[in-house]
């Protein structure tokens, strides 16, 4: 009885719960599915199935990692974003549900043969989603991290959009050529001094280069605002994700560089999560 799937899930959920993990039961089940390659329905149908010692050991090694607060998506190596699975490696930010707010704001603006630039693409979650949702659009996505670009490439291929996407290594606009109808970015926006105090699952598992927004958290927005007008089509728009409470810091940066404010979008927590700007 000790190594039946139902018993293993219960035991693991108990351990994860003691570690303060609120989603303990769900996480235990997902880790068991991953360890055994079983589908959820198979677990439900065969709760008394006894795992081999190897599979049980594999499961417990994942539970141990989760007990050290490693996010489930990092253990699984994938994360669902806007209904699609994305590969996640240590080189990239684990795509967040909040970033789906930017997708929802960008999609109505991405019409026809829209040219889209995604700065700081990480896993490619934003550009790959936009290209998948808009089959006529063309994309360029950049990152300063070569390893991140490799992950974005894998995700673009998996979603069948790699033929419409150019990936390029660049330091914000340094290294970007051409004009775009939409420029989107979810840049690093945590103030450097706040990083040490972040939750362990963020601080210890997302790459520092994806989090650190400089002294006031706004360094990347300054670079993006300064470079965007040279790469934006006359009727184009720029959409940036931002951290909770950052609108008052981000908006004046774009306005000082000649952009007009076009709108804001709220995440499910009620925070302003995305700002849209255009040329006057
Ligand atoms: C917050 S993550 C966003 C990743 C992805 N777009 C997403 O939303 O999940 C920020 C990304 O910006 C990249 N980045 C940091 N500094 C950069 C720079 N100077 N130029 C271009 N990209 C940069 C990081 O490597 C990271 O992939």
């Amino acid at each position: 009885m000790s190594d039946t799937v139902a018993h293993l899930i219960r035991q693991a959920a108990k351990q994860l719960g003691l570690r303060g993990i609120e989603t303990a039961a769900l996480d235990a089940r997902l880790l068991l599915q991953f360890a055994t390659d079983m589908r959820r329905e198979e677990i439900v149908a065969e709760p008394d199935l006894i795992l081999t010692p190897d599979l049980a050991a594999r499961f417990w090694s994942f539970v141990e990692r989760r007990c050290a607060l490693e996010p489930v998506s990092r253990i699984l190596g994938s994360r669902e974003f806007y209904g699609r699975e994305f590969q996640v490696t240590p080189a990239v930010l684990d795509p967040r549900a909040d970033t789906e707010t930017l997708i929802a704001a960008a999609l109505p603006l991405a019409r026809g043969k829209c040219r889209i630039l995604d700065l700081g693409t990480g896993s490619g979650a934003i550009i790959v989603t936009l290209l998948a949702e808009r089959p006529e659009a063309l994309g360029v996505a950049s990152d300063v991290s070569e390893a991140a670009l490799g992950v974005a490439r894998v995700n673009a291929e998996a979603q069948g959009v790699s033929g419409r996407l150019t990936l390029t290594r660049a330091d914000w606009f340094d290294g970007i050529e051409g004009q775009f109808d939409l420029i989107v970015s979810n840049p690093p926006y945590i103030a450097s001094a706040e990083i040490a105090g972040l939750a362990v699952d963020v601080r210890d598992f997302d790459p520092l280069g994806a989090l650190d927004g400089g002294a006031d958290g706004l360094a990347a927005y300054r670079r993006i605002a300064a470079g965007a007008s040279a790469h934006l089509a006359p009727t184009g728009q720029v959409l940036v994700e931002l951290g909770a409470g950052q609108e008052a810091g981000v908006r004046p940066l774009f306005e000082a560089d000649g952009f007009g404010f076009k709108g804001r979008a709220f995440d499910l927590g009620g925070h302003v999560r995305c700002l849209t700007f255009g040329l006057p």
Side-chain angles (χ1 to χ4, degrees):
M1 117 98 172
S2 65
D3 275 356
T4 67
V5 294
H7 184 71
L8 286 171
I9 289 174
R10 278 199 303 276
Q11 288 297 103
K14 200 166 152 192
Q15 280 197 23
L16 296 172
L18 289 172
R19 194 69 184 83
I21 294 169
E22 287 174 8
T23 51
L26 171 67
D27 292 2
R29 200 246 306 150
L30 289 173
L31 294 177
L32 189 117
Q33 281 181 235
F34 185 57
T36 60
D37 219 10
M38 287 175 80
R39 283 178 291 122
R40 181 183 175 167
E41 312 83 83
E42 291 173 317
I43 293 176
V44 173
E46 293 196 76
D48 295 331
L49 187 80
I50 294 175
L51 293 192
T52 64
D54 281 359
L55 283 182
R58 182 171 145 85
F59 170 62
W60 284 116
S61 73
F62 295 151
V63 173
E64 212 170 289
R65 286 168 64 182
R66 185 68 188 117
C67 281
L69 302 183
E70 182 169 351
V72 171
S73 54
R74 297 234 172 247
I75 301 170
L76 270 49
S78 73
R79 147 83 63 194
E80 189 197 316
F81 180 82
Y82 213 81
R84 296 179 179 84
E85 281 300 318
F86 283 80
Q87 185 189 82
V88 176
T89 76
V92 299
L93 186 92
D94 185 357
R96 303 298 204 272
D98 285 340
T99 303
E100 295 175 339
T101 300
L102 184 148
I103 300 290
L107 281 175
L109 306 175
R111 294 182 211 96
K113 297 183 193 314
C114 182
R115 295 159 299 172
I116 308 172
L117 171 65
D118 176 20
L119 296 167
T121 196
S123 64
I126 295 175
I127 191 69
V128 170
T129 300
L130 293 176
L131 293 181
E133 295 286 330
R134 292 290 180 265
E136 288 184 68
L138 294 174
V140 172
S142 67
D143 207 289
V144 77
S145 157
E146 197 68 62
L149 290 170
V151 179
R153 185 167 297 112
V154 167
N155 286 321
E157 280 166 8
Q159 298 302 334
V161 302
S162 57
R164 290 182 286 127
L165 177 62
T166 303
L167 291 161
T168 184
R169 185 157 185 266
D171 175 12
W172 301 126
F173 282 103
D174 291 348
I176 300 293
E177 288 174 7
Q179 286 220 314
F180 300 89
D181 303 298
L182 271 188
I183 297 176
V184 295
S185 185
N186 172 22
Y189 53 64
I190 312 289
S192 306
E194 288 173 17
I195 287 177
L198 291 174
V200 172
D201 59 347
V202 177
R203 187 194 64 207
D204 291 359
F205 296 99
D206 281 308
L208 182 61
L211 301 175
D212 193 344
D216 62 357
L218 305 179
Y221 299 101
R222 287 191 186 86
R223 296 280 307 278
I224 294 169
S229 59
H231 294 278
L232 198 62
T235 57
Q237 313 223 32
V238 182
L239 289 90
V240 286
E241 176 167 328
L242 61 163
Q246 286 183 320
E247 180 180 1
V250 173
R251 189 170 157 174
L253 295 177
F254 280 86
E255 289 172 337
D257 277 306
F259 285 93
F261 173 69
K262 299 285 183 192
R264 59 172 72 78
F266 294 83
D267 63 26
L268 293 176
H271 302 291
V272 174
R273 187 58 64 182
C274 174
L275 296 180
T276 303
F277 300 95
L279 294 169

